[in-house]
Amino acid sequence: MSLAALPAPSTGPGDGILRRQRLRESAARTYARSFPIVPVRANGMTVEGADGRRYLDCLAGAGTLALGHNHPVVLAAIRRTLDSGAPLHLLDLASAEKDDFTTALLETLPAEFADRARVHFCGPAGTDAVEAALKLMQTATGRRGALAFTGGYHGMTAGALAVSGPVSVKEPLPSGGEVTRLPYPYSYRCPFGLGGAEGERMAAVYTERLLDDPSGGVVPPAAMILEAVQGEGGAVPAPDGWLREMRRITAERGIPLVVDEVQTGVGRTGAMWAVQHSGVVPDAMVLSKAIGGSLPLAVVVYREEYDRWRPGAHTGTFRGNTLAMAAGAATLRHVAANGLADRAAVLGARIQAELAELRGRLPVIGDVRGRGLLLGVELVDPEGPSDSCGAHPADPRLAVRVREACLARGLIVELGGRHDAVLRLLPPLTITDEQVRAVLDRLAEAIDAACRDQR
Ligand code: PMP
């Protein structure tokens, strides 16, 4: 589809839809508040609004759209399945589509993990898979609590929220379960005020010593859960060495390690799965978002010795979404066959290098980081006092203005991170060189413009 050839729809219908959305939908609307647009068509990285404007989409379904919107390979898989007459809803019954998806998934996972793994199909969201993983490990170990990290995000259902970090979304609820919060190595705002290799080392030393302290208050937990690159937490990559330390520490103490790859999976970080950078083999991997090829799908994959569930121990009506299995299998195979993880690594490094240069010119850019095409630009107030690591205070108000200035320039970029001051770039892995250029140019212009408005 050539978007250029499309007639521009009138603005009227879009305005009415937005107005009715404001009146009828919940106050918890999120992206809809940041981006008051009504997408009517989308192709690859481009989204067209009802007002005829086009946007480059660096949100891509919060990292879901590995191949962008409506990729031909995904559409063909969906059409083929629809035309085949296969049942679209199957609970957890066997189907050719599920069988094929499982094969495609296991083929992409690290062999030493996949060779002795089981797959549990969950309810369709990432948070469902997190719940399932925690419950599985509680069942297998007979223990209750969990180890989780500052800045982590795992979803909005009770157990997933309990292991997540963001206080603003946890606060109104009673605490969900016994969770021990551990420091995640975030060099720019180091929990120990040290940063770099020393901060990373301390994060591992603290964890090990706490777990071994008989008066440390930590009852042996059912699992440790972590992201290899924190996504919502602000595109914070864990150093590979620290991740290997977490693996050693948990293995030595018989604590299952659950890696949440909901956002980092399917090539996003420059490897098919983010754990592959460090070589760590987890006990379970939580997968969703891109594995459904833009349709809802979530699974937990785990080492078979943890498969201690009784039949029916964890059910759910929507575990057999035939279209998502077909779209997901097509996506996994396309990413693998076309080396899109490697391309994400190359492009991510290029984008980071350019943003680092921009940082030299624009002191409001405090930090540029990420891995592959999971990138973050942390905005700060350079006039504010710096901490012991040299970091200035986060500037969430500037970040909102930059997001608006991006949208005005046809660029969709969402915020995240500890203070909602991190511009998060999650473009499809299919982003072209020209689109990379356009994203960088628009972003630089938007930051410049937002700074000018501030003065
Ligand atoms: N884990 C991670 C790492 C995530 O990024 C997210 C969603 N952003 C989730 C879990 C929850 O997924 P969902 O929104 O599909 O429930």
Side-chain angles (χ1 to χ4, degrees):
M1 175 177 71
S2 159
L3 288 171
L6 295 168
S10 76
T11 51
D15 289 348
I17 290 169
L18 288 173
R19 190 175 51 77
R20 284 192 292 282
Q21 182 183 41
R22 278 195 300 276
L23 291 173
R24 301 195 294 204
E25 289 187 27
S26 127
R29 298 183 319 279
T30 44
Y31 303 109
R33 289 180 191 273
S34 313
F35 309 108
I37 57 178
V38 180
V40 288
R41 285 179 202 83
N43 180 12
M45 201 186 166
T46 307
V47 170
E48 184 181 333
D51 58 2
R53 294 201 62 209
R54 291 199 194 106
Y55 303 87
L56 285 177
D57 186 2
C58 271
L59 180 55
T64 301
L65 304 170
L67 303 182
H69 294 271
N70 294 331
H71 192 281
V73 161
V74 173
L75 293 186
I78 292 173
R79 285 201 182 101
R80 227 177 12 252
T81 311
L82 283 176
D83 292 344
S84 75
L88 297 182
H89 184 291
L90 273 170
L91 298 167
D92 69 346
L93 299 182
S95 73
E97 292 76 15
K98 184 156 76 170
D99 184 55
D100 186 51
F101 170 81
T102 307
T103 303
L105 181 66
L106 292 174
E107 273 170 9
T108 65
L109 288 166
E112 59 278 47
F113 179 66
D115 285 351
R116 293 180 51 238
R118 293 288 176 129
V119 183
H120 179 83
F121 287 84
C122 313
T127 200
D128 296 316
V130 170
E131 296 294 335
L134 294 173
K135 183 172 161 187
L136 172 76
M137 292 313 182
Q138 288 173 333
T139 306
T141 61
R143 305 179 200 145
R144 295 215 58 77
L147 306 175
F149 289 87
T150 51
Y153 182 76
H154 303 286
M156 286 286 178
T157 51
L161 199 55
V163 288
S164 294
V167 175
S168 62
V169 289
K170 291 158 72 84
E171 218 171 14
L173 298 172
S175 162
E178 196 171 313
V179 175
T180 300
R181 189 76 42 196
L182 296 167
Y184 194 83
Y186 173 15
S187 188
Y188 186 63
R189 296 192 190 281
C190 175
F192 300 100
L194 296 167
E198 201 43 19
E200 173 192 336
R201 197 181 70 80
M202 284 304 298
V205 168
Y206 175 84
T207 294
E208 187 160 28
R209 293 200 171 201
L210 179 67
L211 294 180
D212 289 347
D213 183 348
S215 292
V218 186
V219 176
M224 171 186 278
I225 183 163
L226 56 80
E227 295 155 88
V229 181
Q230 288 189 340
E232 305 300 322
V236 184
D240 293 340
W242 175 85
L243 215 50
R244 285 192 284 269
E245 277 294 88
M246 292 305 107
R247 178 65 285 188
R248 177 187 65 76
I249 290 167
T250 49
E252 286 175 4
R253 289 157 185 80
I255 302 169
L257 177 64
V258 176
V259 178
D260 180 342
E261 291 248 20
V262 166
Q263 190 162 142
T264 50
V266 195
R268 167 79 34 208
T269 69
M272 194 67 182
W273 305 100
V275 284
Q276 291 174 306
H277 294 294
S278 62
V280 157
V281 181
D283 297 303
M285 286 168 74
V286 178
L287 315 176
S288 186
K289 288 198 196 273
I291 63 163
S294 77
L295 299 178
L297 186 60
V299 297
V300 190
V301 189
Y302 51 91
R303 294 157 74 110
E304 61 190 3
E305 59 264 37
Y306 293 102
D307 199 25
R308 305 272 180 78
W309 269 340
R310 282 195 304 273
H314 197 71
T315 65
T317 302
F318 289 107
R319 283 178 290 163
N321 183 336
T322 308
L323 289 182
M325 311 265 178
T331 300
L332 290 166
R333 292 203 172 101
H334 189 82
V335 169
N338 292 278
L340 294 187
D342 290 344
R343 177 149 171 87
V346 170
L347 291 182
R350 192 192 302 164
I351 296 172
Q352 278 207 55
E354 285 222 23
L355 291 171
E357 247 180 74
L358 195 63
R359 181 178 179 223
R361 188 163 71 70
L362 296 172
V364 294
I365 299 182
D367 194 26
V368 171
R369 57 174 179 261
R371 203 153 197 180
L373 290 172
L374 200 171
L375 297 162
V377 178
E378 183 154 345
L379 298 176
V380 298
D381 171 9
E383 312 285 310
S386 54
D387 68 13
S388 61
C389 299
H392 293 282
D395 195 341
R397 287 171 57 211
L398 174 66
V400 168
R401 278 201 304 281
V402 172
R403 180 177 64 195
E404 285 166 5
C406 284
L407 196 64
R409 286 161 180 76
L411 183 62
I412 296 177
V413 177
E414 184 51 304
L415 308 178
R418 307 299 209 269
H419 305 277
D420 270 336
V422 180
L423 304 166
R424 298 214 310 122
L425 301 178
L426 294 160
L429 312 185
T430 50
I431 183 172
T432 64
D433 290 350
E434 297 71 40
Q435 286 168 330
V436 167
R437 187 69 271 140
V439 167
L440 286 167
D441 289 348
R442 290 179 202 186
L443 192 64
E445 264 180 52
I447 299 174
D448 253 337
C451 290
R452 273 198 310 276
D453 286 356
Q454 184 151 266
R455 278 187 227 123

